[in-house]
């Protein structure tokens, strides 16, 4: 298994090679620029995304509205840039919560055999329900807010993380140094914290990028379906949803948020792929250029 | 002498971006004549495997580059030959036998088909029937029982020795002029090793094949080689007829290798015969139950009624082949796994059935050193953290722990400055010393060494054994030394327990057991040890 070979790899070594991997560098650059733009929109682009100017309805891209305007005369550029904030926040928070909870469940069921069966069957149960349906149901019950959305998108992601971590822990607990630690009388929580957890980080970072990318898409899909945030908080999903009706006369309404969504997801995935190549010695040579 | 099948001249292989060494192989020249068995001997890093890969054209070009020299196979130059030509030659004119037969065979194909595939790719024009017949003939040549049935087996259904026979059959399939065998018996038990070596020897004489045999084991050299080439750090340091190299070594390094080789003559016990018993194992049994939903459950006894006493300052050796239950025994005694039945008495109490949480006192008293020093140290912890872990568990202050760590580093012969370094910055031998220091940090009474020197080169092995010996006399440690290597056992043990199929078949003072083995299995085991005759003679000289 890749996990065991990864352990032999000195940590300092891989930190250096990360920056030699083109995929990582490209993904990282695009992602960081999108993050910076989203964080600093109010400073760099002083247009209110909810400023309705009826006279400027459905204007194509021009000098004053570089991405054009929508059916209410709102500036698409401002909406797309502010929308990025929600998408990024969603991606980051969902990845964080899914990884934290998933790792906790994974480590517990990987190390304690008694709990394994119970926890994993619950995870199997969760995996059966299509993520988007679960999210729609949750939003329908408790109304759309950033908090519900994050919860709704996180829950379906947890089982995947938990399974990944459980697999790693199952093989790590057989490692000689874990056995050695038991022999030294190291208490269980210390074994988990010092010997097992640090060695799951590599695959987890990679998994986190995939979770983030999928969260961005799920959020957009939910907004598109009308189960997302209301339109006074612009998100890429609800901008596209609103633009759907005017697609034939004003394609820019959909094109720009779509483009940003694609760039964001692509850059996160590139980063994930690159990191996987770097962190997994089996494929590190092919990934390096 | 006829034209050599292999002629290597001034071969040099560079390491790209190499750290301490720029060349893996430097200016190596040698010949292999038809029907000759040439052994390339050296420790890890000596360049012996790189030499073999260069001949096969299988160099890992990501970090190695053949910079100079010529390799001629039956007069044909291989350096600079096209990839297609090399592929053609591999298999038909030269073949390779690898160390680990399980990885050399494809697990999802039947072994008979795998031999047939070699024939199909290289000799077109053979009919299906001819190929079938040849496969059976080859399997008979390597003395596989019932080839008609065995050809339909998958690799995992065969034993290690049988798998290696299949690999040898594949190598022989096209009657190559040269066979390169890279440590082909290292992964096998001694008795299997003896069989494979005699098989190779016999086939080689019959097929008139030149063999380049790569090994780290001088015993194997003594057993089969016509000529021996000793390599150190990428250079040939000595070359000559095997018997002469072994009995009258000229180079310092060869002498050092031979001296480091433990000799299978045991020394009398060196502990007080009436020293207090620190550990008493009584009828220890470990059963593995194979539960199945539909069939009757089966149970296997990995350890079957083992009893022995360990006195203060005694080193007891547990020897046996793989699967004999010696490692399971060690894990039972260390309570890393549960014990099915029997007693393990330490300072008056039975620890065999104690639950994990009540074991902390016992854990302190008994420490274990594992086989693979590369895996038994957490790669993300520094030496100070590694050695200090156990001491923190028993509540020693940081200052005391640092103090003791420094003393231990002195004891194992490492500099104090290494405490902030990580395991990957050390060699195998140094890592094993760190493992020993980690175990000793708990100030144990009993140390279990599970194949603790098996993964190490002989010269390093000697250092670690000396260290253990020294620690025993200084700290009055009792040691359970588990090994498959009889020479190592003879060198260090006071008493020996020979295990076979979970049982101790012979138990006694090492001198007695080695001088006059009583049990049939022990005799077999001793007879199978490679190079016993030649190396035994050397001792008497």
């Amino acid at each position: 298994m890749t996990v065991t070979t990864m352990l032999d790899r000195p940590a300092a070594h891989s930190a250096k090679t990360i920056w030699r991997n083109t995929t990582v560098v490209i993904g990282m650059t695009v992602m960081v620029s999108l993050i910076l733009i989203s964080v600093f929109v109010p400073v760099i682009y002083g247009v209110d995304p909810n400023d309705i100017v009826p006279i400027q309805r459905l204007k194509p891209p021009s000098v004053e509205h570089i991405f054009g305007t929508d059916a209410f005369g709102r500036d698409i550029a401002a909406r797309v840039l502010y929308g990025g904030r929600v998408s990024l926040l969603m991606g980051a928070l969902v990845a964080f919560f899914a990884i934290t909870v998933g790792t906790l469940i994974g480590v517990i069921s990987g190390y304690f055999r008694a709990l394994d069966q119970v926890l994993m069957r619950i995870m199997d149960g969760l995996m059966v329900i299509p993520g988007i349906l679960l999210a729609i149901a949750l939003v329908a019950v408790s109304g759309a807010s950033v908090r519900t959305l994050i919860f709704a998108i996180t829950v379906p992601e947890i089982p995947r993380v938990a399974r990944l971590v459980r697999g790693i822990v199952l093989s790590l607990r057989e490692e000689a140094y874990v056995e050695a630690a038991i022999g030294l009388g190291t208490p269980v929580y210390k074994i988990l914290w010092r010997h097992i957890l640090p060695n799951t980080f590599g695959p987890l970072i990679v998994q986190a990028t995939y979770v983030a990318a999928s969260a961005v898409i799920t959020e957009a899909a939910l907004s598109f379906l009308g189960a997302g945030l209301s339109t006074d908080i612009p998100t890429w999903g609800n901008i596209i949803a609103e633009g759907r009706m005017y697609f034939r006369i004003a394609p820019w309404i959909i094109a720009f948020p779509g483009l940003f969504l694609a760039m964001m997801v692509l850059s996160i995935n590139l980063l994930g792929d690159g990191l996987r190549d770097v962190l997994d010695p089996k494929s590190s040579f092919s990934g390096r250029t | 002498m006829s034209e050599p099948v292999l002629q290597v001249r001034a071969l040099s292989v560079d390491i790209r971006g190499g750290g301490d060494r720029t060349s893996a192989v430097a200016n190596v020249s040698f010949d292999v004549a038809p029907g000759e068995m040439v052994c390339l001997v050296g420790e890890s890093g000596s360049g012996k495997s790189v030499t073999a890969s260069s001949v096969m054209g299988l160099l890992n070009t990501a970090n190695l580059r053949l910079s100079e020299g010529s390799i001629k196979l039956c007069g044909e130059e291989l350096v600079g030959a096209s990839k297609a030509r090399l592929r053609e030659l591999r298999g038909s004119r030269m073949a390779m036998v690898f160390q680990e037969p399980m990885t050399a065979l494809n697990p999802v194909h039947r072994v008979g088909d795998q031999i047939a595939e070699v024939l199909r790719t290289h000799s077109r024009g053979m009919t299906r029937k001819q190929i079938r017949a040849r496969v059976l003939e080859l399997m008979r040549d390597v003395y596989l029982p019932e080839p008609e049935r065995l050809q339909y087996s998958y690799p995992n259904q065969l034993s290690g020795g049988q798998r290696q026979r299949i690999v040898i059959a594949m190598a022989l399939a096209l009657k190559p002029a040269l066979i390169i065998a890279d440590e082909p018996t290292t992964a096998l038990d001694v008795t299997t090793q003896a069989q494979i070596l005699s098989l190779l020897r016999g086939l080689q004489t019959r097929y008139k094949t030149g063999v380049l045999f790569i090994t780290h084991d001088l015993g194997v050299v003594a057993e089969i080689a016509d000529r021996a080439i000793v390599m150190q750090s990428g250079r040939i340091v000595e070359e000559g007829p095997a018997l002469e190299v072994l009995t009258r070594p000229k180079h310092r390094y060869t002498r050092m290798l031979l001296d480091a080789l433990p000799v299978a003559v045991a020394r009398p016990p060196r502990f007080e015969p009436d020293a207090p018993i620190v550990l008493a194992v009584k009828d220890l049994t470990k059963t593995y139950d194979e539960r199945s939903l539909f069939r009757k459950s089966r149970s296997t006894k990995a350890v079957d009624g083992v009893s022995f006493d360990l006195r203060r300052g005694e080193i007891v050796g547990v020897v046996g082949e793989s699967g004999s239950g010696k490692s399971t025994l060690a894990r039972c005694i260390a309570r890393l796994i549960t014990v099915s039945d029997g007693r393990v008495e330490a300072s008056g109490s039975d620890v065999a059935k104690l639950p994990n949480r009540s074991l902390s006192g016992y854990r302190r008293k008994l420490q274990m050193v594992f086989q693979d020093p590369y895996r038994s140290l957490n790669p993300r912890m520094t030496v100070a953290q590694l050695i200090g872990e156990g001491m923190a568990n028993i509540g020693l202050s940081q200052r005391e722990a640092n103090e003791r760590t420094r003393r231990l580093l002195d004891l194992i012969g490492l500099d104090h400055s290494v405490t902030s370094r990580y395991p990957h910055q050390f060699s195998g031998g140094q890592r094993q010393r760190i493992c020993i220091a980690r175990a000793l940090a708990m100030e144990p009474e009993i140390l279990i060494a599970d194949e603790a020197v098996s993964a190490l080169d002989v010269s390093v092995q000697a250092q670690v054994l000396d260290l253990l010996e020294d620690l025993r006399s200084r700290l009055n440690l009792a040691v359970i030394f588990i090994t498959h290597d009889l020479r190592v056992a003879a060198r260090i043990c006071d008493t020996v327990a020979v295990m076979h199929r979970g049982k101790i078949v012979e138990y006694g003072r090492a001198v007695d057991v080695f001088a006059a083995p009583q049990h049939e299995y022990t005799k077999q085991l001793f007879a199978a040890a490679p190079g016993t005759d030649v190396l035994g003679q050397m001792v008497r000289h």
Side-chain angles (χ1 to χ4, degrees), chain A residues 10-258:
Chain A
H13 183 61
S14 50
K16 239 188 217 167
T17 49
I18 281 178
W19 301 112
R20 265 191 254 154
N21 185 304
T22 353
T23 330
V24 172
V25 174
I26 295 173
M28 198 70 157
T29 318
V30 176
M31 200 178 85
V32 168
S33 1
L34 283 172
I35 292 174
L36 287 178
I37 293 172
S38 305
V39 172
F40 295 107
V41 219
V43 186
I44 54 177
Y45 197 79
V47 180
D48 185 348
N50 288 322
D51 205 359
I52 297 174
V53 188
I55 208 156
Q56 293 282 341
R57 295 181 69 231
L58 300 172
K59 286 277 185 280
S62 61
V63 181
E64 58 268 44
H65 301 290
I66 50 167
F67 291 175
T69 59
D70 68 3
F72 297 96
R74 292 176 297 197
D75 183 61
I76 296 290
R79 292 187 70 74
V80 166
L81 295 183
Y82 275 94
R85 298 181 126 190
V86 177
S87 294
L88 282 169
L89 190 73
M90 287 283 176
L93 288 179
V94 168
F96 174 76
F97 288 123
I99 293 290
T100 314
V101 180
T103 305
L104 191 71
I105 294 172
V107 167
I108 290 173
S109 63
Y111 200 82
F112 303 100
R113 293 314 265 280
L115 291 168
D116 187 25
Q117 288 295 323
V118 181
L119 285 172
M120 277 301 122
R121 290 305 79 77
I122 296 174
M123 292 296 112
D124 287 347
L126 267 181
M127 275 180 129
V128 169
I129 309 166
I132 201 119
L133 275 189
L134 184 69
I136 291 174
L138 281 169
V139 171
V141 169
S142 53
S145 70
V146 174
R147 207 179 298 167
T148 349
L149 272 181
I150 288 175
F151 182 74
I153 301 173
T154 304
V155 171
E157 297 288 349
I158 290 173
R160 259 187 291 275
V161 181
R163 288 188 149 239
L164 174 81
V165 174
R166 172 179 173 270
I168 303 170
V169 174
L170 279 181
S171 72
L172 282 176
R173 54 178 288 168
E174 304 297 328
E175 281 293 323
Y177 62 77
V178 173
E179 222 170 25
I182 298 173
L184 288 170
T186 309
V188 173
Y189 74 91
K190 264 195 188 169
I191 290 179
L192 293 177
W193 187 251
R194 295 180 67 173
H195 295 283
I196 290 191
L197 216 58
N199 288 306
T200 61
F201 285 167
L204 270 183
I205 291 170
V206 177
Q207 185 69 17
T209 62
Y210 295 138
V211 172
S214 126
V216 171
I217 290 187
T218 313
E219 184 276 323
L222 282 175
S223 298
F224 183 80
L225 292 170
L229 299 171
S230 79
T231 52
D232 29 296
I233 305 171
T235 74
W236 291 338
N238 65 27
I239 304 171
I240 294 175
E242 280 190 322
R244 186 175 38 164
M245 286 176 292
Y246 309 98
F247 179 63
R248 304 199 41 190
I249 50 169
W252 54 87
I253 305 179
I254 285 183
F256 289 105

Side-chain angles (χ1 to χ4, degrees), chain B residues 473-494:
Chain B
S473 48
R474 267 209 253 179
L475 310 173
N476 225 348
L477 268 180
V479 181
I480 301 177
F481 194 90
I482 290 168
T483 183
H484 70 281
D485 192 332
L486 294 166
R487 288 179 302 213
V488 170
R491 172 173 171 149
I492 192 165
C493 299
D494 303 314

Side-chain angles (χ1 to χ4, degrees), chain B residues 413-478:
Chain B
L414 284 180
D415 198 76
H416 290 183
S417 63
V418 303
T419 46
S420 58
R421 291 213 252 154
Y422 288 89
H424 71 264
Q425 294 169 293
F426 295 93
S427 68
Q430 288 172 322
R431 287 189 211 200
Q432 200 57 296
R433 285 160 195 239
I434 295 170
C435 290
I436 293 174
R438 174 174 64 181
L440 292 179
M442 306 291 278
E443 299 189 330
E445 287 176 13
I446 307 160
L447 188 70
I448 300 184
D450 185 6
E451 300 275 9
V453 297
S454 306
L456 307 173
D457 280 328
V458 270
S459 57
V460 186
Q461 215 173 48
Q463 292 164 17
V464 174
L465 288 176
D466 285 342
L467 173 67
L468 277 177
E469 180 77 67
D470 179 47
L471 291 173
R472 181 266 290 268
S473 48
R474 267 209 253 179
L475 310 173
N476 225 348
L477 268 180

Side-chain angles (χ1 to χ4, degrees), chain B residues 36-196:
Chain B
E36 190 185 28
M37 176 83 78
V38 178
C39 270
L40 216 52
V41 208
E43 298 189 290
S44 47
S46 62
K48 54 192 196 306
S49 284
V50 173
T51 309
S53 313
S54 312
V55 175
M56 286 298 281
L58 294 173
L59 267 190
N60 176 3
T61 47
N63 42 25
L64 294 172
R65 197 174 57 90
L66 203 157
S67 58
E68 223 181 317
S70 122
I71 301 169
K72 281 195 176 125
L73 180 73
C74 308
E76 185 179 345
E77 180 62 55
L78 297 184
V79 176
S82 73
K83 279 197 173 139
R85 180 68 191 143
L86 276 175
R87 198 157 45 232
E88 222 172 278
L89 289 171
R90 280 199 292 265
S92 64
R93 304 300 295 150
M94 55 180 174
M96 192 143 181
V97 177
F98 296 92
Q99 173 169 0
E100 185 45 75
M102 192 64 212
T103 51
L105 292 171
N106 188 333
V108 300
H109 288 299
R110 295 197 164 91
V111 292
D113 293 341
Q114 297 193 46
I115 303 177
E117 196 196 332
V118 181
L119 294 166
R120 262 199 300 276
T121 28
H122 286 280
S123 45
R124 290 181 194 95
M126 269 175 101
T127 64
R128 191 173 285 245
K129 229 171 154 185
Q130 282 171 322
I131 289 179
R132 268 293 138 220
R134 179 83 180 116
V135 167
L136 292 179
E137 190 190 331
L138 280 164
M139 289 178 76
R140 248 174 252 124
D141 278 356
V142 294
Y143 299 104
L144 278 165
E146 298 180 74
E148 285 81 5
R149 190 176 59 83
L150 224 61
Q151 62 174 327
Y152 299 114
S153 315
Y154 290 95
N156 66 307
Q157 297 170 312
L158 304 179
S159 70
Q162 286 176 326
R163 276 182 223 136
Q164 198 60 291
R165 280 165 203 265
I166 295 285
V167 175
I168 293 170
M170 285 167 74
L172 285 171
L174 300 156
K175 302 191 174 128
L178 175 74
I179 289 182
I180 298 174
D182 190 356
E183 306 259 8
T185 58
T186 309
L188 304 175
D189 281 327
V190 267
T191 44
T192 323
Q193 179 179 44
Q195 290 161 10
I196 295 285

